[in-house]
Amino acid sequence: MLEQNLFSDTFASVVLEDIGACQHVVRTILGKDDIEIVSVKSQYRLLNITSKDTILDAYAQDSTGRQINIEIQRRDTVDHARRIRYYGSMIDKSILDKGAYYDELPDVYIIYISETDIWGAGKTVYPVKKILGETGIPYDDGNHVIFVNAAIDDGSDTAKLMKYFETADPDDMTQGPLSERVHYLKREKGGHDEMCKVAEDIYEQGKLENAKAMAISLHESGVADDLIAKAANVSVDLVRKWLGLSMA
């Protein structure tokens, strides 16, 4: 059974794909009540043929064109800062068309939510601030990073939000549209059906990823494409697509 709090990748993705729920999280953490989220995609994959793909937990855009990525970090990561650096570079690459000018890059906000205080300084929120040396002059490249954690309770609205992330209590309606979304998914039949569909999709996606890995391994061992397709129970065209991406 899927763990159902907001530090579960699956449950958080289903919750945050709702515009109202996502907007509530963003407004609370950024302290901006006027943010209007116009679109959001969960588990959004940014493809890179020549290097590592990136899957964003929730990727939203607001009415001004700002790009907002919410990352839920539960497992240990070797280097949080460099992970975010890579995510930011992938987002920039995906939104700047060839031949466009750099000033066309929109502001990007990466909100990195963790269960623990990964920086160990006793703060709920750590906004990354950039300045030019000792001048105090802000260095604004349009890339904004905010670390948030559930371990430190400073009594703020963000800390209350983080406590809700830990419980995702369907009877706690203190978090507005976020609470409404959680209540729907946990208490109402339509929500149960939606979660079951997500669980099935995850299972099928897992099978497909395993088949892809097997296809690449068999190809490297010299097995013919048609035999690989039979072993993986997929079409020859799909096998060749996988192999083409792998070799590229």
Side-chain angles (χ1 to χ4, degrees):
M1 184 174 178
L2 296 173
E3 183 180 356
Q4 293 189 344
N5 70 23
L6 289 165
F7 283 101
S8 160
D9 288 343
T10 302
F11 189 63
S13 296
V14 179
V15 170
L16 294 177
E17 70 181 1
D18 177 78
I19 286 179
C22 181
Q23 180 172 274
H24 176 80
V25 172
V26 172
R27 285 181 171 182
T28 301
I29 292 174
L30 297 186
K32 298 177 183 292
D33 291 337
D34 59 346
I35 290 176
E36 297 289 341
I37 299 297
V38 297
S39 68
V40 60
K41 301 172 184 176
S42 63
Q43 292 297 299
Y44 182 60
R45 182 182 291 272
L46 297 176
L47 296 175
N48 193 332
I49 298 300
T50 58
S51 60
K52 182 181 177 67
D53 290 353
T54 301
I55 300 177
L56 307 180
D57 290 337
Y59 184 44
Q61 179 175 312
D62 77 358
S63 57
T64 69
R66 287 179 291 201
Q67 310 294 302
I68 303 167
N69 171 212
I70 301 174
E71 285 299 310
I72 312 294
Q73 175 58 32
R74 183 167 197 167
R75 294 175 294 275
D76 290 337
T77 294
V78 173
D79 195 321
H80 302 279
R82 281 179 170 77
R83 178 184 178 186
I84 289 178
R85 170 184 162 187
Y86 187 73
Y87 279 22
S89 68
M90 288 290 287
I91 292 171
D92 284 346
K93 183 177 178 180
S94 72
I95 57 182
L96 189 65
D97 294 332
K98 185 176 180 179
Y101 294 103
Y102 294 116
D103 62 1
E104 296 178 50
L105 275 172
D107 278 15
V108 172
Y109 285 77
I110 299 180
I111 299 172
Y112 195 84
I113 300 174
S114 61
E115 286 185 299
T116 60
D117 179 11
I118 60 178
W119 300 111
K123 303 291 185 182
T124 302
V125 181
Y126 298 88
V128 176
K129 298 180 180 179
K130 304 174 186 177
I131 59 172
L132 291 170
E134 298 177 356
T135 67
I137 298 173
Y139 177 77
D140 183 11
D141 59 2
N143 187 27
H144 310 274
V145 177
I146 303 97
F147 290 94
V148 185
N149 71 83
I152 305 300
D153 186 354
D154 62 3
S156 65
D157 288 343
T158 298
K160 294 173 185 175
L161 175 67
M162 290 298 99
K163 293 305 175 187
Y164 183 82
F165 263 59
E166 291 184 310
T167 65
D169 181 354
D171 297 318
D172 178 354
M173 303 304 292
T174 61
Q175 296 298 321
L178 179 63
S179 292
E180 293 170 10
R181 177 67 170 166
V182 169
H183 184 275
Y184 166 74
L185 291 170
K186 288 190 173 185
R187 287 285 190 261
E188 300 180 34
K189 184 180 184 305
H192 292 161
D193 293 345
E194 190 171 332
M195 286 303 302
C196 288
K197 177 64 167 58
V198 169
E200 291 171 4
D201 289 346
I202 290 172
Y203 176 70
E204 291 300 323
Q205 182 62 32
K207 288 201 302 183
L208 199 60
E209 290 296 327
N210 289 336
K212 178 180 178 180
M214 179 182 69
I216 293 170
S217 178
L218 290 174
H219 174 77
E220 291 173 348
S221 299
V223 179
D225 292 353
D226 59 334
L227 296 179
I228 294 174
K230 183 178 290 187
N233 195 29
V234 297
S235 69
V236 174
D237 286 343
L238 181 55
V239 167
R240 288 174 178 162
K241 179 181 178 182
W242 288 341
L243 297 177
L245 289 174
S246 174
M247 288 184 289

